Structures are given as C-alpha cells and as structure tokens.
Amino acid sequence: VFLPTEEPFTLTCQVKRISVRAQTDSPMKKFDYGCQFVEVPPREQERLLQVVFTLQRKILKARRE
C-alpha cells in the first residue's frame, strides 16, 4: 500500500533488471528492481499515476520544510 487511503494494487510485472548495492555502514545489501508492468487496465494506470504524483508532492513538501 503506497497511501493508507488507497486500495492496494494488484499488478503483474516482469523483472527486467536487478542491481545490488552495499549500504553505508552496514553489512546488508540493497536490491533495486526494474520492472515492466504487464496488461495494466487504463483505470489502474491512472490510479497508479495519481498515487505516484501524490507521493512526489509529499516528498517535495517534506524537503522544503
């Protein structure tokens, strides 16, 4: 769940790449995944974009404060 007010997403994707990075001051590694969504209905695409934009606004607002 990206936002507590939103219904969860159920999406199918193909993993296109995986990159591994060491974390600063930690023996743990961080994994980044590049995914391509498959057969996402237009309504879900729009909903996902709205959530992404909302999260971006929150991040920018937090940086300014």
Side-chain angles (χ1 to χ4, degrees):
V1 176
F2 296 112
L3 295 172
T5 57
E6 284 290 323
E7 290 292 319
F9 288 92
T10 302
L11 303 169
T12 302
C13 70
Q14 294 178 332
V15 177
K16 295 293 189 171
R17 68 174 171 79
I18 301 171
S19 59
V20 183
R21 306 188 263 147
Q23 293 189 32
T24 306
D25 300 326
S26 172
M28 301 294 291
K29 294 180 181 176
K30 182 172 181 174
F31 296 86
D32 294 321
Y33 298 90
C35 299
Q36 178 179 4
F37 294 109
V38 180
E39 298 181 14
V40 180
R43 184 174 176 197
E44 284 297 279
Q45 287 180 26
E46 182 64 31
R47 193 166 76 90
L48 182 58
L49 283 173
Q50 291 303 319
V51 168
V52 168
F53 293 147
T54 300
L55 291 170
Q56 285 178 331
R57 278 193 304 273
K58 287 183 175 203
I59 289 169
L60 290 172
K61 182 179 177 184
R63 285 182 185 165
R64 279 183 257 140
E65 294 175 349

